[in-house]
Amino acid sequence: GAGVSQSPRYKVAKRGQDVALRCDPISGHVSLFWYQQALGQGPEFLTYFQNEAQLDKSGLPSDRFFAERPEGSVSTLKIQRTQQEDSAVYLCASSSSREQFFGPGTRLTVL
Amino acid sequence: GQQLNQSPQSMFIQEGEDVSMNCTSSSIFNTWLWYKQDPGEGPVLLIALYKAGELTSNGRLTAQFGITRKDSFLNISASIPSDVGIYFCAGLRNSGGSNYKLTFGKGTLLTVNP
């Protein structure tokens, strides 16, 4: 597609459930990023992939968060045993240079 | 996590007015980016700045990369109702090998009264 796509757009989970969020980057973009955006805040970096290699996961809040990009294209962000503080918009971005292009995000609500 | 200092936090203006917002940091950034985010959507890139002192325009938008590399501003001229949204500044550093990690401001909420 022409832009970054993410699915689902909205996800409601009960506390303790596992969730998986998908990102389809712009075709040919080597770099892929995940950000977390809390209500009323700017996005905050979670993790970075170059092709299939996860080069930086320093922003992941806890070991309940896991991201993968096994074939260097589609990426999945998984959150295990969700907590209420995980409620946020999760944004994916891809890049072929210094400019990062964002998807529409997945709004996760944990009840 | 660290965020840039962005001001003002919100603005309410009349259609046709000019708008100015800025971002400051205690650290040096090597790239400044300005994004606009509409409700329920991801940030959309408006302008990218790569050199200290650089002044770049995109239609009614003008942005500058401060010469100290610690600040940037965005101007919108002759505002129209579709300018409504949240504007974010974001910076990239070259230090520590993390020249890919965007640091964002908290955003400026712009409301335009027709």
Side-chain angles (χ1 to χ4, degrees):
Chain A
V4 179
S5 60
Q6 293 186 244
S7 61
R9 292 293 311 277
Y10 304 91
K11 177 69 179 177
V12 178
K14 291 183 179 178
R15 190 171 53 185
Q17 281 186 334
D18 298 348
V19 299
L21 313 180
R22 177 187 168 108
C23 172
D24 283 82
I26 294 171
S27 178
H29 278 191
V30 168
S31 300
L32 184 144
F33 310 83
W34 285 97
Y35 290 82
Q36 181 189 59
Q37 186 175 23
L39 191 63
Q41 303 292 317
E44 292 203 12
F45 172 84
L46 293 177
T47 187
Y48 160 56
F49 289 86
Q50 189 173 72
N51 295 306
E52 68 278 4
Q54 189 176 21
L55 299 185
D56 188 340
K57 54 182 181 179
S58 62
L60 296 177
S62 75
D63 58 7
R64 296 186 296 104
F65 287 70
F66 172 77
E68 60 183 5
R69 192 186 186 197
E71 297 180 357
S73 177
V74 170
S75 177
T76 304
L77 176 67
K78 298 179 179 177
I79 309 173
Q80 297 176 323
R81 304 181 303 282
T82 52
Q83 304 294 314
Q84 283 188 317
E85 63 263 28
D86 300 335
S87 296
V89 174
Y90 291 86
L91 294 164
C92 176
S94 71
S95 172
S96 61
S97 65
R98 282 178 285 184
E99 298 173 9
Q100 296 183 21
F101 297 91
F102 285 82
T106 295
R107 179 176 295 279
L108 173 65
T109 303
V110 182
L111 303 177
Chain B
Q2 178 184 353
Q3 293 197 327
L4 300 172
N5 302 311
Q6 187 170 349
S7 64
Q9 191 173 3
S10 63
M11 300 183 74
F12 187 94
I13 62 171
Q14 296 295 122
E15 184 177 358
E17 289 184 351
D18 297 345
V19 169
S20 184
M21 59 192 78
N22 70 81
C23 232
T24 61
S25 171
S26 57
S27 305
I28 288 175
F29 286 86
N30 297 93
T31 300
W32 285 89
L33 304 167
W34 284 91
Y35 288 87
K36 178 176 182 262
Q37 187 173 29
D38 291 329
E41 299 296 329
V44 174
L45 182 64
L46 300 175
I47 290 183
L49 302 156
Y50 300 111
K51 288 175 58 177
E54 179 182 356
L55 185 70
T56 297
S57 293
N58 178 10
R60 294 178 297 106
L61 307 179
T62 302
Q64 184 155 31
F65 190 147
I67 56 172
T68 65
R69 294 192 285 162
K70 293 183 179 181
D71 63 305
S72 176
F73 72 74
L74 175 71
N75 286 344
I76 305 173
S77 63
S79 58
I80 59 178
S82 61
D83 290 335
V84 165
I86 303 177
Y87 291 79
F88 289 99
C89 61
L92 279 174
R93 291 196 188 87
N94 274 358
S95 64
S98 60
N99 59 344
Y100 48 81
K101 191 183 301 188
L102 280 176
T103 300
F104 280 84
K106 289 191 175 182
T108 295
L109 173 62
L110 177 64
T111 304
V112 180
N113 191 31

